[in-house]
């Protein structure tokens, strides 16, 4: 079952994929045309015209790619995915997380679905990769846990269940056992 924003994201990814394939196809056709024309003799006037056309096409392609890149960056970052780091996020639930070699200290392990959760993530010793895995095993959100700095992430859980926290960055010999769990209850259940 797709969550609210996932369907839109998948449609956008499919559109971008189609645009990418079209661009690659046009580049391939350009190469095929150049290869086909390689063996034909050309007079000086024809060579000069082809050179001017080539320069015009390169400038147009550069401008189009530049505008496309700016457009994609604007469309994908318009709802900026990183919350403000130097102010409170005003979430209904706040969880303090500290990474240690080789454990997570999590301030609360019972959360409610449907309400935003602010995770304040830091580390006491070395860098750790803080990742939350959904009950179905997919990563729902992640950030770095770094000594001396607190990263804030904001996430709203839609699916109740037991979520797992794992370290994504090798942090020493017991890295593979660096896990923690928390429960997300349905909104009606206030336990």
């Amino acid at each position: 079952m797709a969550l609210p924003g996932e369907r839109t994201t998948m449609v956008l990814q499919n559109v971008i994929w189609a645009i990418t394939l079209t661009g690659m196809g046009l580049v391939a056709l350009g190469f095929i045309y150049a290869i086909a024309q390689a063996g034909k003799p050309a007079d000086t006037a024809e060579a000069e015209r082809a050179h001017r056309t080539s320069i015009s096409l390169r400038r147009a392609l550069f401008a189009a790619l530049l505008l496309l890149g700016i457009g994609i960056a604007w469309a994908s970052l318009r709802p900026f995915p990183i919350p403000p780091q130097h102010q409170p996020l005003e979430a209904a639930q706040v969880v303090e997380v500290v990474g240690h070699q080789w454990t997570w200290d999590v301030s609360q392990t019972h959360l409610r679905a449907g309400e935003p959760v602010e995770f304040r993530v830091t580390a006491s010793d070395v860098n750790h990769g803080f990742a939350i895995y959904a009950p179905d095993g997919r990563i729902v959100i992640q950030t770095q846990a770094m000594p001396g700095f607190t990263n804030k992430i904001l996430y709203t859980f839609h699916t109740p269940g037991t979520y797992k926290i794992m370290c994504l960055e090798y942090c020493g010999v017991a890295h593979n056992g660096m896990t923690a769990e928390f429960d997300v209850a349905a909104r009606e259940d206030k336990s």
Side-chain angles (χ1 to χ4, degrees):
M1 182 170 98
L3 296 176
E6 289 180 354
R7 188 167 190 78
T8 304
T9 302
M10 292 304 293
V11 168
L12 183 60
Q13 287 176 343
N14 289 338
V15 168
I16 292 170
W17 180 240
I19 291 170
T20 302
L21 287 177
T22 302
M24 289 188 298
L26 290 174
V27 168
L29 287 175
F31 276 110
I32 291 169
Y33 176 77
I35 290 168
Q37 298 300 315
K40 298 180 180 176
D43 61 10
T44 307
E46 182 65 25
E48 183 60 33
R49 187 179 67 75
H51 181 68
R52 284 194 307 273
T53 302
S54 169
I55 290 173
S56 298
L57 285 173
R58 279 186 280 177
R59 287 181 180 160
L61 182 60
F62 176 77
L65 290 175
L66 183 65
L67 290 174
L68 181 66
I70 290 170
I72 288 173
W74 177 81
S76 63
L77 294 176
R78 185 178 39 168
F80 197 63
I82 302 170
Q85 296 295 303
H86 301 290
Q87 66 189 35
L89 301 182
E90 300 178 18
Q93 305 168 91
V94 176
V95 179
E96 303 279 345
V97 180
V98 181
H100 308 279
Q101 287 181 311
W102 293 278
T103 185
W104 294 106
D105 282 340
V106 182
S107 65
Q108 61 176 312
T109 58
H110 298 287
L111 303 172
R112 292 177 306 282
E115 297 179 12
V117 181
E118 175 185 346
F119 289 91
R120 296 176 184 165
V121 182
T122 190
S124 65
D125 41 34
V126 298
N127 282 4
H128 300 282
F130 173 81
I132 297 175
Y133 287 78
D136 66 1
R138 66 182 173 85
I139 294 178
V140 294
I141 195 162
Q142 67 92 27
T143 190
Q144 280 294 117
M146 302 177 288
F149 187 81
T150 300
N151 274 317
K152 297 177 185 176
I153 52 176
L154 192 61
Y155 189 75
T156 301
F157 295 94
H158 298 286
T159 307
T162 300
Y163 287 75
K164 191 175 217 177
I165 298 172
M166 295 179 72
C167 183
L168 293 180
E169 185 168 327
Y170 183 73
C171 56
V173 295
H175 161 77
N176 63 324
M178 188 172 173
T179 64
E181 290 184 348
F182 62 90
D183 294 315
V184 174
R187 196 172 201 160
E188 304 80 43
D189 183 10
K190 298 290 184 182
S191 59

